[in-house]
Amino acid sequence: MSFFKLLRILIFRNIQENKFLTFLSIFGIALGIALFTGVKVASDKAIASFESNIQGIISYSNYEIVDISGIDFNENIYVKIREIEDNCFPLLQTFAYVPELKDSVEINGIFTVKATQFLKLIPSEAHFSNPESHSRGFFEKYNFDDFYRQTNAVFITKNFAARHAIKKGDIFKAIVYDREYPLKVVDIMDSDILITNTIIMDIGNFQEYFGKTGALSKIDIFTDEHNANIIKSVLPSNLRIERKENIFKNQTAIVKSFRYNLQFVSLIAVLVGIFMLYNTVFISVVKRRTEIGILRSLGADKKIIIMLFTSNGLILGTIGSIIGILLGQITAYFSTIAVEKTISTMYTAITIADYGINVKDAVISLLFGIIVSLIASIIPAFEASNIRPNESSREGSFERRYAKFHKWFFTSGIFFILAGIGISYIDYYYAPFTAPIFAYTGIIMLIAGFTLASSFYFFILLKLFRIPIKKVFGIIGEIASGDIYGNLHRFSVALMSVAISGALIIAFLTIIFSFRTSLNKWIHKNITADVYIKPASCRANYCFYPVSENVIKTVESFSEVSGIDKFRGMQVDVYGKKIIAGFADIKVKREHLYKKYKDENYEMILSEMEGDEPIAGISDFLSIKYGLGKGDKLPVYTPEGIVNFKINDVFSSYSTTSGFVYIDRKWLKKYWGLDDTTQFSVYLKENVDADLFIRKLRDSLKLNYSFEIMNNQELRNRIIFIFNRTFAITYVIEIISIIISLIGVVNTLLALAFERKREISIIRYLGGTWKQITQIFLLSAGIIATSGILYSILLGPLMSIILIEVVNKLSFGWKIYFSIPYHYVAAVSILLFFTTLLSGLIPSGVARKIDPERFITFE
Amino acid sequence: MIKLEHVDKYYGSFHVLKDISFEVGKGEFLSIVGRSGSGKSTLLNIIGGMDKAESGKVIVDNEDISSYSDDKLTLYRRRKVGFIFQFFNLLPNITVFENISMPLILNNIMDEEKVKNFIKLVGLEGKEKSFPFQLSGGEQQRVAIARALIHSPEIILADEPTGSLDSETGAMIMELICGLMRNLGKTIIIVTHESYIAQYAGRIITIKDGIIYK
Ligand SMILES: Nc1ncnc2c1ncn2[C@@H]1O[C@H](COP(=O)(O)OP(=O)(O)OP(=O)(O)O)[C@@H](O)[C@H]1O
Ligand SMILES: [Mg+2]
């Protein structure tokens, strides 16, 4: 085929010749695609793991019975339910932490006899003689002998055993509830249904060993709607039967918004990479316009020109995507760890054992890479096809064609910018979807708009500064600015590279800074106690399993203690969605608040909460999602029916993304019939040394219990640490996008230099020295850098406002105080300026190395 | 073969070609002379389908190419026309061999033997693998001549083929062109402002300020 011959001699050879440029663009795309792939894989796996976590170990049950508050309940109900539907399966479960393995596990107490049906576990004949299950003899037989007989006997999964090199018979210590317990592995299960970190125990042993006699966490049921309705009618008011599907929908929605965020940021990285590809193809078209004109005069039609230059981009894009997918395996590994940690602290403990990219992921990424590189290269390819056959004889006509469109581009650019702002505004006010899709689109439109408007912006800027530049830099200034002026379109592509880099940096810094500021305010207001105590088994911000009464008593017995704020974390239902309720001893908090935080208004709010009327404070999330404000009523589902709490405070809560309500403990007793504590904080008397107290407390608890005890400063540090860890992945992606965009700056300036061989030789011919050429290059780079950075000062803050005010608000339900870190922005802008200047130097060095004979004879 | 009827061409408000009409027969060797800026190249480009006139007809082989779409015009250039330019217009990053092959590749009739023959014909044996920048001006123009002829077009258009060569080399190039033409029987139009070149031609047309003087 003649097309491939042309491709080989006209495109391949050119790609090979410009090795450095080629390398840069492939590298840029590869990084973008690697991020995209890694993030996609990580979030897919996280969601799958999250789902199977909700699904639990009985993978085909379609209903579950749980307590409305997510706490354990009395097992008596099981007998009643079994009468209605035999396909039911009681479970007692808890998350535990294994310090020696640095891993969280979920311990499931199962009704062993029934488990043989549901889990397809087959005991040895001696202990189980159901003829039906014997017919499934092909399943493995497990050591049920020890499983029954030893109270601490557990089964673990094959994957878990492999991950930590655990053998049958091994014993490891796990922190369960508030104590440490040795667990003995009596067998290893070879099952595909179970997620890696599942541990199975007999329910009787579980109740006995962990002191949970008579308790169940949930009952999994496989039944039809009819029976489900009957069951519903016999359940006491604290229990509820729910379809698993509904639970998925509700729960995964939160995780999904986290995922969208990551994916959007990685998309920006891809876009930046693609912009680079566009630059490369575009510059190649500009540079080769004479050749294209010759080809056209020889009778190459538009179609072939389009195909050739599209292939140029496609080849780079495809190679980049393939490398990106390979690199994606590494990013997938790190993103998986990051996502796992984040979801575990923010939502629920999950573990992802597998972070491999499968064929489907690879194909999707490859297709994605190919499609976007197609889009990126088709535009310059069309430009190429519009080059006239006699173009060669008319220098500069290529640019002039664009000059006509400057204003038109500018107008449509402004339109895009306004539309982008408008569409984000829609999300701000109406939030039609759970994910901030409009805001994402808005940001992309903003970038597109700025890109379109860039050449006119550059034109105006040059018009204003051409004369001053001439005055300051003399002949060098005249040549450099004239050069840019005459090739505005090309140079605005370079300007845009700098602007995108700058905007990303500004947005990134602003977001981090705003977060920091907001978080510090939150910490200042909320972390007011001297000592914080929670069960070591609890790895999340909020704990849901009560601590032993004795522990509280022990703490109370210390004379140093002035007050204990007993806190009960619980899941409650609001408008059919699960949110976290925190029941606190508000009086204790209010009375001790003044030591660390003085705010009369807040003290007023707290003392209102202590009153006889049910009052609650809510987090921004609830006010954003349901439009609730001070004075409104919050309907909370309790075992006593729906109770309307009057809202007297709306505050930020960065410890959860699913909504938080703050209530006085007395309502816990009244409506839930509970008076237990899941974590607590201690206020010490004046002049008591907190660390000394902690040491004493640790000593008295360490024999029987496992608690995590921190002083005020430690907790503050930890919160900041967790917060940073949560956003570490976003930060990393953003930093990589910035790196890609910086590569883009170098790439564009380099390409421009190659393209200007002709000008260089003319200057040389006219007697210009290399030094002067270098100066011209530097000055052009300086002009590009300055104009680009100025441009980014418009784009960056706009982007960050949308990210903070719309995207964050919708995704996490967090309000964040927008604040720009002026010093950092200034420092980084200066850095960007010199980076750009430097990338202006590289080409002048390279230009010098280019086979001088080759382009001098060319003249 | 080629017939121009009342052709007008403007660049903006500048009237470059004014009501041009003339005819070139098959196998004829026509030379267009005139001062710089008189519109010679413009006229040649219009005949070659590289540019379009604002009004008038350009009839080639009984077809009015001025009514052609861009695609048809491209096809016309590819099949029927061979161009020789003042500045050679070789593709800089490909070899002599590949440059000469280009029309064959575009017409999808690649034939290596034929390319080798033409290289011999224009006297460039041993230079097949050279790149244009490694050749002298005269050698580059030889490549361009081979490229213009290789796909056996019916019309050869040459715009000052010797314009950027010294007179001695120029004469050699003209000998080469004329020698080849005589054998091949093509229709050929050469633009030049050096009158000595025009003597090779069978007929001479003079153009001045966009008007033809026969
Ligand atoms: N693209 C264009 N835009 C504007 N004016 C043009 C353009 N191309 C040619 N001209 C003008 O048209 C006139 C004729 O140009 P043309 O190139 O045909 O002249 P020529 O006779 O070939 O000159 P020379 O002998 O110098 O090659 C010139 O005055 C030129 O300035
Ligand atoms: Mg001319």
Side-chain angles (χ1 to χ4, degrees):
Chain A
M1 246 289 273
S2 71
F3 172 70
F4 288 106
K5 199 163 262 162
L6 287 174
L7 193 64
R8 192 169 53 80
I9 61 180
L10 294 175
I11 301 296
F12 270 139
R13 202 169 293 167
N14 201 264
I15 290 176
Q16 280 169 356
E17 227 161 70
N18 296 321
K19 281 202 186 63
F20 193 54
L21 272 184
T22 307
F23 168 76
L24 281 185
S25 11
I26 289 181
F27 185 60
I29 296 159
L31 275 182
I33 291 290
L35 278 187
F36 179 80
T37 316
V39 165
K40 182 177 180 306
V41 169
S43 27
D44 280 353
K45 304 263 172 191
I47 293 210
S49 161
F50 194 67
E51 272 178 1
S52 50
N53 221 308
I54 298 168
Q55 179 68 58
I57 58 173
I58 309 302
S59 57
Y60 52 88
S61 58
N62 56 351
Y63 284 90
E64 68 177 35
I65 293 173
V66 286
D67 188 279
I68 53 166
S69 314
I71 58 178
D72 294 340
F73 53 90
N74 194 301
E75 65 180 4
N76 290 339
I77 191 72
Y78 173 63
V79 183
K80 271 197 212 160
I81 289 163
R82 201 187 48 194
E83 280 167 14
I84 303 163
E85 174 61 69
D86 192 42
N87 265 327
C88 62
F89 187 74
L91 274 168
L92 184 50
Q93 49 188 195
T94 187
F95 284 108
Y97 184 71
V98 186
E100 59 194 273
L101 306 178
K102 289 205 170 72
D103 208 348
S104 293
V105 292
E106 190 191 45
I107 306 180
N108 289 266
I110 59 164
F111 191 1
T112 314
V113 177
K114 280 210 158 179
T116 55
Q117 300 164 15
F118 282 100
L119 287 176
K120 300 179 181 169
L121 302 174
I122 306 297
S124 44
E125 289 96 305
H127 293 280
F128 192 70
S129 53
N130 182 335
E132 197 219 334
S133 61
H134 275 290
S135 60
R136 305 191 199 129
F138 53 88
F139 291 109
E140 264 193 70
K141 296 176 177 159
Y142 298 112
N143 182 5
F144 277 83
D145 228 15
D146 291 339
F147 190 70
Y148 278 126
R149 225 178 279 158
Q150 302 177 4
T151 30
N152 67 342
V154 296
F155 285 167
I156 60 171
T157 65
K158 196 180 63 180
N159 289 341
F160 190 73
R163 186 197 277 187
H164 297 298
I166 300 174
K167 297 181 304 295
K168 228 168 160 173
D170 283 357
I171 293 177
F172 59 84
K173 282 188 184 144
I175 299 169
V176 187
Y177 304 117
D178 53 6
R179 288 174 219 212
E180 199 169 66
Y181 297 88
L183 298 176
K184 187 175 180 195
V185 178
V186 295
D187 216 333
I188 291 166
M189 297 172 295
D190 187 10
S191 165
D192 309 329
I193 332 163
L194 299 175
I195 44 177
T196 306
N197 288 32
T198 308
I199 286 187
I200 287 180
M201 204 171 180
D202 178 71
I203 198 165
N205 288 339
F206 189 119
Q207 291 181 336
E208 182 66 30
Y209 196 47
F210 302 128
K212 280 290 207 172
T213 316
L216 290 182
S217 304
K218 73 176 179 179
I219 302 175
D220 272 332
I221 307 177
F222 181 72
T223 190
D224 54 24
E225 210 178 323
H226 175 74
N227 276 355
N229 280 332
I230 300 177
I231 292 172
K232 196 173 178 180
S233 65
V234 305
L235 288 179
S237 65
N238 66 318
L239 296 187
R240 177 173 49 199
I241 180 163
E242 211 172 337
R243 281 188 84 91
K244 292 243 174 180
E245 266 171 62
N246 297 343
I247 303 173
F248 288 156
K249 242 185 255 155
N250 278 342
Q251 297 290 299
T252 45
I254 328 166
V255 185
K256 276 187 181 142
S257 68
F258 184 67
R259 171 223 191 116
Y260 289 138
N261 248 308
L262 289 185
Q263 235 148 28
F264 175 71
V265 187
S266 73
L267 194 71
I268 294 271
V270 175
L271 280 183
V272 175
I274 289 309
F275 186 67
M276 229 165 102
L277 182 67
Y278 167 82
N279 285 356
T280 309
V281 180
F282 173 74
I283 297 288
S284 157
V285 168
V286 175
K287 186 172 127 192
R288 305 182 70 185
R289 65 191 179 283
T290 315
E291 281 178 71
I292 297 166
I294 295 170
L295 277 170
R296 294 280 288 134
S297 73
L298 294 177
D301 55 18
K302 288 190 172 185
K303 209 175 71 198
I304 270 200
I305 303 285
I306 292 175
M307 276 162 69
L308 282 175
F309 282 90
T310 309
S311 310
N312 187 352
L314 269 183
I315 291 164
L316 300 183
T318 309
I319 298 173
S321 304
I322 291 170
I323 297 174
I325 291 166
L326 298 178
L327 279 178
Q329 189 59 76
I330 303 169
T331 51
Y333 174 73
F334 289 107
S335 329
T336 305
I337 294 176
V339 172
E340 182 187 88
K341 288 225 165 93
T342 301
I343 292 184
S344 297
T345 35
M346 285 291 190
Y347 313 102
T348 178
I350 59 158
T351 47
I352 313 169
D354 154 42
Y355 44 82
I357 295 177
N358 58 30
V359 177
K360 197 179 140 212
D361 296 325
V363 170
I364 289 176
S365 295
L366 184 64
L367 278 181
F368 179 64
I370 290 177
I371 290 169
V372 284
S373 20
L374 187 74
I375 296 169
S377 44
I378 208 148
I379 304 165
F382 258 103
E383 286 164 10
S385 77
N386 280 330
I387 291 174
R388 286 187 302 269
N390 53 351
E391 186 91 22
S392 53
S393 49
R394 315 281 170 211
E395 253 314 305
S397 56
F398 190 78
E399 275 293 334
R400 219 166 307 134
R401 191 154 57 232
Y402 285 102
K404 277 189 290 190
F405 295 119
H406 279 170
K407 282 217 173 94
W408 190 85
F409 277 158
F410 182 72
T411 318
S412 48
I414 294 292
F415 171 78
F416 264 91
I417 293 170
L418 292 178
I421 294 173
I423 204 170
S424 311
Y425 212 66
I426 293 178
D427 242 358
Y428 183 78
Y429 270 103
Y430 303 102
F433 306 106
T434 38
I437 295 174
F438 277 8
Y440 290 148
T441 318
I443 292 174
I444 307 259
M445 286 172 90
L446 218 55
I447 296 175
F450 269 81
T451 310
L452 281 171
S454 63
S455 54
F456 191 70
Y457 157 81
F458 210 3
F459 172 77
I460 296 291
L461 217 60
L462 274 174
K463 215 171 177 172
L464 291 175
F465 290 103
R466 217 172 149 177
I467 301 202
I469 290 172
K470 268 184 211 168
K471 281 213 177 107
V472 177
F473 296 99
I475 179 77
I476 303 285
E478 194 159 347
I479 295 175
S481 61
D483 199 15
I484 297 178
Y485 204 74
N487 299 291
L488 209 52
H489 193 73
R490 284 169 242 186
F491 279 96
S492 38
V493 172
L495 171 135
M496 207 50 216
S497 309
V498 179
I500 287 184
S501 250
L504 285 178
I505 294 172
I506 291 174
F508 177 53
L509 288 175
T510 306
I511 288 168
I512 295 185
F513 190 73
S514 304
F515 260 133
R516 272 288 145 74
T517 316
S518 310
L519 186 65
N520 281 333
K521 274 188 190 160
W522 179 84
I523 287 176
H524 187 54
K525 178 175 166 188
N526 288 281
I527 307 303
T528 52
D530 299 303
V531 181
Y532 286 84
I533 304 165
K534 73 177 187 182
S537 63
C538 167
R539 312 299 294 169
N541 291 335
Y542 291 108
C543 312
F544 301 102
Y545 294 107
V547 301
S548 307
E549 279 292 318
N550 277 335
V551 175
I552 311 266
K553 287 212 181 89
T554 309
V555 177
E556 273 169 345
S557 70
F558 281 93
S559 61
E560 293 95 328
V561 173
S562 161
I564 301 178
D565 180 3
K566 292 190 275 178
F567 185 92
R568 210 304 170 197
M570 187 189 270
Q571 292 189 330
V572 296
D573 259 29
V574 168
Y575 299 114
K577 289 259 183 340
K578 285 212 184 323
I579 62 165
I580 293 172
F583 298 91
D585 201 327
I586 293 198
K587 184 158 182 269
V588 173
K589 173 155 178 129
R590 182 181 52 80
E591 283 173 355
H592 295 86
L593 191 66
Y594 68 93
K595 277 160 82 181
K596 295 228 156 56
Y597 182 71
K598 275 199 180 58
D599 182 348
E600 279 174 26
N601 192 27
Y602 189 50
E603 276 178 48
M604 270 285 292
I605 287 170
L606 290 180
S607 63
E608 268 172 40
M609 285 182 167
E610 289 165 42
D612 294 331
E613 197 189 351
I615 285 182
I618 60 165
S619 69
D620 292 329
F621 179 92
L622 293 167
S623 102
I624 293 165
K625 281 264 144 101
Y626 305 110
L628 296 170
K630 280 184 195 173
D632 291 337
K633 296 270 175 158
L634 181 77
V636 180
Y637 203 93
T638 78
E640 302 280 308
I642 288 178
V643 175
N644 284 304
F645 284 85
K646 193 177 139 203
I647 297 165
N648 79 333
D649 191 18
V650 178
F651 50 83
S652 300
S653 171
Y654 302 118
S655 48
T656 168
T657 58
S658 60
F660 181 72
V661 46
Y662 191 56
I663 306 175
D664 189 62
R665 281 184 71 83
K666 67 168 164 268
W667 307 112
L668 175 70
K669 205 168 194 170
K670 177 154 187 207
Y671 295 118
W672 281 267
L674 293 173
D675 196 21
D676 51 9
T677 304
T678 55
Q679 61 205 94
F680 58 101
S681 50
V682 176
Y683 293 91
L684 297 172
K685 288 183 180 147
E686 294 289 341
N687 303 323
V688 175
D689 183 70
D691 291 329
L692 220 63
F693 170 76
I694 288 174
R695 218 170 301 150
K696 271 169 80 182
L697 184 61
R698 280 210 181 108
D699 280 343
S700 66
L701 291 177
K702 81 174 168 206
L703 219 55
N704 296 316
Y705 303 98
S706 260
F707 278 93
E708 192 180 77
I709 306 173
M710 278 185 273
N711 69 26
N712 185 288
Q713 193 55 47
E714 281 165 345
L715 182 66
R716 286 175 183 225
N717 296 345
R718 188 172 167 80
I719 290 169
I720 292 174
F721 169 78
I722 289 179
F723 202 81
N724 284 340
R725 193 181 64 188
T726 305
F727 287 94
I729 178 164
T730 321
Y731 296 166
V732 170
I733 296 174
E734 280 167 13
I735 288 170
I736 293 179
S737 315
I738 290 169
I739 292 172
I740 301 175
S741 66
L742 286 176
I743 296 174
V745 173
V746 178
N747 183 61
T748 317
L749 285 178
L750 199 59
L752 272 179
F754 279 125
E755 204 268 308
R756 287 191 294 165
K757 278 191 233 172
R758 196 190 172 82
E759 279 96 327
I760 297 173
S761 22
I762 291 171
I763 295 168
R764 285 285 289 154
Y765 181 73
L766 295 176
T769 60
W770 276 116
K771 200 178 151 205
Q772 280 168 315
I773 290 174
T774 307
Q775 284 170 347
I776 291 170
F777 267 100
L778 268 182
L779 187 58
S780 326
I783 294 172
I784 293 170
T786 315
S787 329
I789 290 169
L790 278 179
Y791 210 38
S792 72
I793 288 172
L794 297 173
L795 176 59
L798 263 178
M799 267 168 68
S800 29
I801 287 178
I802 298 179
L803 283 170
I804 289 174
E805 297 291 334
V806 190
V807 172
N808 251 304
K809 223 179 85 173
L810 285 183
S811 313
F812 301 116
W814 291 345
K815 271 193 190 136
I816 285 153
Y817 308 95
F818 180 80
S819 37
I820 296 178
Y822 295 100
H823 293 95
Y824 281 107
V825 169
V828 173
S829 300
I830 291 169
L831 217 68
L832 180 61
F833 178 81
F834 284 106
T835 311
T836 313
L837 223 53
L838 220 64
S839 12
L841 261 184
I842 302 173
S844 77
V846 173
R848 226 166 144 162
K849 273 197 213 124
I850 308 168
D851 190 356
E853 179 202 359
R854 183 154 174 180
F855 69 90
I856 284 166
T857 33
F858 197 50
E859 288 317 304
Chain B
M1 178 81 203
I2 302 169
K3 191 174 171 191
L4 273 74
E5 292 176 0
H6 310 293
V7 169
D8 279 284
K9 173 76 186 173
Y10 295 85
Y11 282 120
S13 59
F14 177 50
H15 201 169
V16 193
L17 299 178
K18 298 166 187 157
D19 192 31
I20 302 261
S21 302
F22 67 90
E23 231 175 297
V24 189
K26 197 172 165 62
E28 199 178 341
F29 189 151
L30 176 76
S31 178
I32 302 175
V33 295
R35 272 209 217 122
S36 180
S38 55
K40 306 181 297 290
S41 297
T42 309
L43 181 59
L44 203 67
N45 283 345
I46 287 172
I47 298 171
M50 301 225 287
D51 210 340
K52 276 190 156 186
E54 261 74 42
S55 65
K57 285 182 179 169
V58 181
I59 296 163
V60 179
D61 273 347
N62 302 321
E63 278 197 52
D64 183 8
I65 66 161
S66 62
S67 65
Y68 275 12
S69 66
D70 185 80
D71 283 346
K72 267 183 118 176
L73 221 48
T74 305
L75 210 64
Y76 161 77
R77 286 199 299 272
R78 189 198 296 170
R79 298 242 169 97
K80 290 204 172 154
V81 184
F83 271 106
I84 302 166
F85 301 93
Q86 177 179 359
F87 297 107
F88 327 129
N89 278 5
L90 299 180
L91 293 167
N93 298 318
I94 64 178
T95 62
V96 165
F97 187 92
E98 288 160 343
N99 259 296
I100 296 176
S101 313
M102 201 46 76
L104 296 181
I105 298 175
L106 287 172
N107 281 303
N108 216 356
I109 47 168
M110 185 55 192
D111 178 352
E112 297 204 359
E113 280 309 307
K114 196 170 183 186
V115 179
K116 281 180 193 155
N117 285 338
F118 268 82
I119 289 176
K120 216 178 281 170
L121 209 61
V122 296
L124 283 174
E125 291 116 313
K127 299 266 182 195
E128 292 87 346
K129 295 227 166 75
S130 304
F131 288 91
F133 67 90
Q134 296 165 328
L135 301 179
S136 71
E139 284 167 332
Q140 291 192 44
Q141 198 58 302
R142 285 163 193 268
V143 176
I145 291 167
R147 185 181 64 183
L149 296 174
I150 187 122
H151 55 303
S152 327
E154 291 160 35
I155 303 162
I156 307 290
L157 302 174
D159 192 352
E160 303 192 30
T162 61
S164 49
L165 302 172
D166 60 70
S167 53
E168 208 171 310
T169 319
M172 269 163 66
I173 288 293
M174 276 319 291
E175 288 300 336
L176 180 64
I177 294 176
C178 297
L180 289 171
M181 293 315 143
R182 236 169 269 135
N183 301 337
L184 296 169
K186 309 270 174 201
T187 306
I188 173 160
I189 304 176
I190 284 195
V191 161
T192 180
H193 58 247
E194 291 169 82
S195 47
Y196 86 93
I197 297 288
Q199 71 199 13
Y200 292 94
R203 180 154 69 104
I204 299 172
I205 283 179
T206 308
I207 185 166
K208 198 178 163 193
D209 297 332
I211 298 169
I212 291 266
Y213 300 89
K214 302 226 165 122

